[in-house]
Amino acid sequence: MYEEPYKWVEAVGNRRTYLDEQFKEGAPVVGVTCERGILLMTMSKGTPKLYEIYDRLALGGMGHPADLEKLRFNLLEMAHVEGFNRSASDVTGGRLVKYGMAPAIKQAFEEVFKAPFIVKILLAELGQKSGKDGFLTINYDGTFEEKSQYAVLAATSAVEQKMAGYLREQSLASLADAVGASIRTWAVGDRAQRRALDEGEGHDEAGTGPDQQATDSETLYAYLRRCIAEKTVECALLDRHVQGPSKYRALGVDELKTLLPNGLSPSLL
């Protein structure tokens, strides 16, 4: 009888180990604010990772496509029911996460005889005014954080910290600045994840080894050219200058060609 709580704690620990393994090869997601609105960026091998949720809300995710799709559908339904029963202004990222998404993910994680959601989620919310934009990130165990200027998802918290540290030093004023900073930050995270995989469990994922200094632009662009040859670029904008209630739009190939730095030529979903 007295062993049961300890068995539960052990089972939860095993789930963390299992879930951490599932994200090692996942594609990072980057969200940044700029004068134009909120930019979300990632790369993938064909399965979309960025979605519109509601008028001023967008989602970026990493993890199992089926789990991500299920949670996306739940968010869509929750947002539209809330908007219908109350008003569009009542549909906020904080409300959807705190009263809907995070509790559901936490419950699935802690019910050790059921499968957890293999997901990490970034929810972006465009404010009514510039400077009021925000992000919420949700981990696979239901814990969430609120952020303002930028947010990232990656395989581990150490990689996320490295990406955030790089992003903190970048200019995010214009849309072109945001696109350039986002794609370089994505490269910082993806390189750190690849290096951790190559060097095994003993690798310091925070990047304190010789690779720490390899974040100069040319090194990152060279890495990105290899990635673009194998993956598709996914880029979406919550554009505060778009007329009408829905502010979400995907950036097309022609527009991205003018925004991507250093001659990067994208392939897009």
Side-chain angles (χ1 to χ4, degrees), residues 27-81:
V29 179
V30 182
V32 299
T33 61
C34 62
E35 181 278 332
R36 189 87 189 180
I38 296 180
L39 181 78
L40 295 177
M41 181 269 155
T42 187
M43 288 195 198
S44 65
K45 292 186 177 180
T47 304
K49 300 293 184 182
L50 305 180
Y51 304 95
E52 180 179 16
I53 296 300
Y54 202 67
D55 295 349
R56 293 174 171 270
L57 294 169
L59 177 147
M62 60 185 300
H64 196 288
D67 287 342
L68 185 58
E69 184 64 18
K70 181 176 181 178
L71 291 174
R72 180 183 77 91
F73 181 81
N74 289 347
L75 266 179
L76 281 169
E77 186 174 39
M78 196 185 315
H80 284 83
V81 168

Side-chain angles (χ1 to χ4, degrees), residues 181-193:
S182 295
I183 201 165
R184 291 193 302 273
T185 302
W186 184 92
V188 168
D190 200 64
R191 291 181 79 242
Q193 290 180 184

Side-chain angles (χ1 to χ4, degrees), residues 6 27 91 98 136 138 151 160 167 231 236 261:
Y6 299 101
V91 183
K98 296 172 185 178
L136 290 107
I138 314 174
E160 289 176 351
L167 197 51
K231 300 180 180 181

Side-chain angles (χ1 to χ4, degrees), residues 18-189:
Y18 166 73
L19 287 165
D20 287 339
E21 288 291 323
Q22 303 307 303
F23 289 101
K24 284 187 173 180
E25 297 189 45
V29 179
V30 182
V32 299
T33 61
C34 62
E35 181 278 332
R36 189 87 189 180
I38 296 180
L39 181 78
L40 295 177
M41 181 269 155
T42 187
M43 288 195 198
S44 65
K45 292 186 177 180
T47 304
K49 300 293 184 182
L50 305 180
Y51 304 95
E52 180 179 16
I53 296 300
Y54 202 67
D55 295 349
R56 293 174 171 270
L57 294 169
L59 177 147
M62 60 185 300
H64 196 288
D67 287 342
L68 185 58
E69 184 64 18
K70 181 176 181 178
L71 291 174
R72 180 183 77 91
F73 181 81
N74 289 347
L75 266 179
L76 281 169
E77 186 174 39
M78 196 185 315
H80 284 83
V81 168
E82 187 85 356
F84 179 80
N85 290 337
R86 298 172 180 266
S87 69
S89 61
D90 288 315
V91 183
T92 66
R95 197 170 175 81
L96 295 179
V97 168
K98 296 172 185 178
Y99 298 106
M101 190 58 51
I105 294 174
K106 180 178 184 293
Q107 182 178 8
F109 175 74
E110 293 180 348
E111 291 182 350
V112 295
F113 296 108
K114 295 182 181 179
F117 289 115
I118 307 174
V119 291
K120 294 185 178 185
I121 288 175
L122 190 161
L123 191 67
E125 181 172 12
L126 187 70
Q128 295 290 341
K129 297 180 181 179
S130 179
K132 299 295 185 180
D133 307 329
F135 302 93
L136 290 107
T137 58
I138 314 174
N139 200 19
Y140 57 69
D141 60 0
T143 57
F144 60 88
E145 292 185 65
E146 299 182 60
K147 301 176 182 180
S148 54
Q149 297 298 314
Y150 52 81
V152 297
L153 298 178
T156 67
S157 60
V159 175
E160 289 176 351
Q161 289 170 15
K162 184 171 184 179
M163 293 170 68
Y166 178 82
L167 197 51
R168 202 159 30 238
E169 301 173 355
Q170 308 306 306
S171 170
L172 301 174
S174 68
L175 180 57
D177 289 339
V179 170
S182 295
I183 201 165
R184 291 193 302 273
T185 302
W186 184 92
V188 168

Side-chain angles (χ1 to χ4, degrees), residues 192-269:
Q193 290 180 184
R194 298 282 82 75
R195 185 174 177 230
L197 280 174
D198 291 343
E199 296 190 11
E201 296 298 326
H203 172 60
D204 177 6
E205 292 168 340
T208 56
D211 190 56
Q212 184 177 17
Q213 302 303 320
T215 55
D216 62 281
S217 295
E218 287 308 314
T219 299
L220 297 176
Y221 289 139
Y223 181 80
L224 285 165
R225 289 190 190 94
R226 295 195 297 272
C227 292
I228 284 177
E230 302 172 353
K231 300 180 180 181
T232 54
V233 178
E234 209 179 341
C235 220
L237 181 68
L238 286 171
D239 192 339
R240 69 176 74 258
H241 299 301
V242 167
Q243 298 299 314
S246 178
K247 303 299 182 182
Y248 182 96
R249 67 182 181 90
L251 300 188
V253 175
D254 292 339
E255 185 175 10
L256 263 187
K257 282 181 178 178
T258 67
L259 294 170
L260 283 171
N262 216 41
L264 293 174
S265 181
S267 59
L268 289 106
L269 291 170

